[in-house]
C-alpha cells in the first residue's frame, strides 16, 4: 500500500511539474516557441493579443540568430514579452530606426496595427463553398 501511495504521489508531482509552464514560452526550438506563442495568444484578452504578437515579432527581428532569439523568449510570460518588445522599440527609435520614426509612441504603433487588423477582418468575405458545408439542417 505504501508503494502505491508513493507512486501515486510521484505521478501527481510529475504531472503538476510538467504543466507548470503553461503561461510561458517554451524556447527549446523554433517550432515549440511558435506553438507556445499561438496557444498563449489565444488565451489573452483581445486587447492584448496584437501587442503580444507585435512584441514577439519585434524580438524575433532584433535577434536574427535563432539560438539567441530562443534564449530571449524562453520561459517568458506574455507580460514579459510585451515589456521586452517595448524596450526594443524604444532602443530602435532612439537609434533612428526608420520604420519606427512615423510613430510618436509604442501605444500609437499598437493602435495603428489594431485598426488595420479590424479593417482586415471587416473585409473578409464569406466563401461560397462554406454554405455547402453548413451543418445547420432545415427541419
Amino acid at each position: 500500500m505504501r508503494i502505491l501511495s508513493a507512486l501515486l504521489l510521484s505521478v501527481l508531482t510529475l504531472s503538476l511539474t510538467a504543466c507548470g509552464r503553461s503561461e510561458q514560452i517554451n524556447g527549446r526550438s523554433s517550432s515549440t516557441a511558435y506553438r507556445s506563442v499561438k496557444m498563449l495568444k489565444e488565451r489573452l484578452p483581445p486587447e492584448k493579443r496584437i501587442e503580444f504578437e507585435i512584441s514577439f515579432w519585434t524580438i524575433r527581428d532584433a535577434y536574427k540568430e535563432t539560438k539567441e532569439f530562443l534564449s530571449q523568449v524562453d520561459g517568458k510570460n506574455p507580460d514579459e514579452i510585451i515589456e521586452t518588445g517595448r524596450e526594443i522599440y524604444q532602443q530602435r527609435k532612439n537609434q533612428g530606426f526608420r520604420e519606427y520614426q512615423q510613430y510618436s509612441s509604442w501605444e500609437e504603433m499598437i493602435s495603428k496595427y489594431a485598426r488595420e487588423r479590424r479593417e482586415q477582418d471587416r473585409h473578409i468575405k464569406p466563401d461560397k463553398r462554406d454554405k455547402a458545408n453548413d451543418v445547420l439542417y432545415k427541419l
Side-chain angles (χ1 to χ4, degrees), residues 19-78:
C19 298
R21 291 183 53 155
S22 65
E23 294 298 318
Q24 297 175 343
I25 294 177
N26 180 350
R28 288 187 189 159
S29 68
S30 293
S31 62
T32 58
Y34 297 143
R35 207 171 323 137
S36 297
V37 166
K38 183 178 178 182
M39 289 189 322
L40 286 172
K41 190 175 82 169
E42 290 173 0
R43 294 179 188 161
L44 288 174
E47 62 274 0
K48 265 187 129 173
R49 285 181 188 164
I50 291 177
E51 188 173 18
F52 173 69
E53 190 175 340
I54 290 171
S55 297
F56 178 79
W57 290 110
T58 300
I59 297 167
R60 181 62 180 130
D61 187 53
Y63 296 97
K64 303 290 186 195
E65 289 291 321
T66 303
K67 286 184 180 182
E68 190 178 11
F69 163 69
L70 291 175
S71 72
Q72 288 295 316
V73 298
D74 186 34
K76 289 192 176 179
N77 64 36

